[in-house]
Amino acid sequence: MNRLSGAASPYLLQHRDNPVEWWEWSPEAFAEARRSNRPVLLSIGYAACHWCHVMAHESFENAATAAVMNELFVNIKVDREERPDIDHVYMSALHSLGEQGGWPLTMFLTPDGDAFWGGTYFPPEPRHGRPSFTAVLRQLSAIFQREPERIASNAAAIREALQRAETVTFAAIGEPDLDHLAAQIASAFDPVDGGLKGAPKFPNAGLVELLWRAGTRQPASEAALQAGVLTLDRMARGGIHDHLGGGFARYAVDGRWLVPHFEKMLYDNAQLLSLYALEAKRSGSGLARDAAAGIVTWLKREMLLPEGAFAASLDADSEGVEGKFYVWSLAEITALLGPDDAALFARHYDVTAHGNWEETNILNRLDTPDPDAETASRLAAMRERLLAVRALRIPPARDDKILADWNGLMIAALARASGLLGQPHWLDLARSAYRFVAESMADGDGLAHSYRLGRLIRPGFALDHAAMIDAALALHDLTLEQHYLEDARRWSRHLDRHYRDADTGLLGMTRPESGELPVLPRPTHDDAVPNALGVHAANLLRLAAKTGALADREQAQALMKAALQAAARAPMAHGSVLNAYDLARNGVEIVLAGPERAAFHAAARSLPYTTTILIDCPDDEALPPDHPASAMLRQAGRGAAFICFEGRCLPPVTDPNRLPEAIADGR
């Protein structure tokens, strides 16, 4: 075993038996590089990454390749999910070289941590115009030893590029036109299969939400709604959706959602759960409702840990083969279901003798008929039989670390989907996971980032706090329990104190005092997960409305101003910020007043959370005097709801069933 045998990360533990003398990221590793005058080889990946496994099998498990690595480099292995800050900085360094990013990320650093060259996957032998990994190693080591000035020049150029990328310039900007932006984004979406045009196709949940919001505003943008709903529909029908076990893979490698990259990530499914629940509530779509329910079924069956929180991911591979766990042959299905049922199932799930992918079949409904009620019932029974047999296969590995940010995203999604679709047991799942993260991952007034087997990785990142604040606010909306609101306020103060840059108002990914990296990572754009800036801008708007505290309101305004500056540069990369702005411009406060307000609460929590903020007001003293509903509270009687828009409130709604109608009329 190498030094990774004591790691907490399942990804690092996958490499503990490599002949490579791996180090974890640490000051000691860089000290060794300085002592031995060797460059650092930094390899970043994650447990569910297919090409990470390929490079590991081809190179890191190969004794001859490992010997070259050990002789010429100090080798550091990093789990990008455990240390997203390291991944962000060095992925940005790779981008500055004009290279497309991806994992595994392979970067070469000076002993002081400055990148001087890099790439992603390197083959063991020259292939497709790419040099062999060992040839790259020998060449870079030779340049490092013989041409130090060249290394220093490259490192300085990359560092300068990183610093430029993290430098924020402010200019006078107008308020964004959300309808115009939605129209632009809708035009970039595939009119046949949804999602951004081309391949590969990612869910891009933040942009789909932006389109959905635009399409459900008054007046609605039909083109935006069509683009967003089409995307959700095609994903739910595609092979990216696990039609037997529920849940969605990370992305599709093709342009029509058929062939997934089979890994399943908690964060994707959290964001998609929210969107499918919203669409099921809006349209009554059975496809959307089933997709949402399938995510939760998968979550309980495969991702729920004994602690009550959720694991990070499932691998793409099983038995060393990508997707083997999920695909079927027609012969297998016929043997299990019999010829008549198999023929029916094959017709509805695109199963053929020669398959739709590498001589096997990925179940999908992209071009198959929608079943009638009787056929749907028969197909459901067949799916259960196939799922039971699939469960006997060797499953993909599970990365069972608990990440505060990804759990926060899922907790918020479960709570809101519970209210939208009337699923109280989903709320129970959310509460249980929240309890574990809030209690067992506490780090002073803040949160740790990762937990596994009693070990914490801390301090947490900005998104850990922003996502868990959002989770607390979602749970407060669903339960009106005060301790959730208190947690949200405490974590918000912590985030402001330790992560917000006083000059720009932006959130740093890490605390400024960490000092481990060449630059302080301060991204504003969304990646596969929403950016902390966008998430927390919405948090502060909700907190300001719920608490009425002047400090919360001022902080919400300051962060939104900074967020919009960031979004103005690249709107399509800032879906979460623009969605927060939509809440600021189109949000509706629903004041639940009176001792018998439970029926109004039940009605309000089933409304789309995208533009509703619930304010609990059990008595006349609960609202600040300057709130526009404060002077009207006596009209509430035993129970009522006040609908408030931008500083004005409508007369009390005394029938809970009239809440949606009253909101629409008030606009």
Side-chain angles (χ1 to χ4, degrees), residues 14 46-50 53 81 242 245-250 261-269 298-299 301-305 310-318 325-326 390 395-401 406:
Q14 289 174 357
Y46 57 102
C49 168
H50 171 70
H53 301 327
E81 297 167 359
D242 182 352
F248 288 77
R250 191 164 77 91
H261 193 31
F262 289 89
E263 64 207 48
K264 288 184 180 179
M265 316 301 291
L266 185 66
Y267 59 77
D268 283 319
N269 285 279
W298 163 76
L299 191 71
R301 186 184 62 248
E302 298 184 39
M303 304 300 280
L304 183 60
L305 298 171
F310 306 112
S313 65
L314 295 180
D315 208 327
D317 300 4
S318 55
F325 183 73
Y326 298 100
R390 193 180 81 175
R398 180 174 71 177
D399 186 328
D400 60 355
K401 65 178 177 287
W406 297 6

Side-chain angles (χ1 to χ4, degrees), residues 621-661:
E621 304 299 320
L623 285 180
D626 61 346
H627 193 283
S630 182
M632 305 164 65
L633 286 178
R634 291 181 181 175
Q635 300 177 39
R638 299 296 298 169
F642 295 92
I643 298 170
C644 304
F645 306 88
E646 297 181 336
R648 64 183 176 90
C649 295
L650 305 180
V653 178
T654 55
D655 178 358
N657 296 319
R658 286 202 64 252
L659 268 180
E661 177 188 342

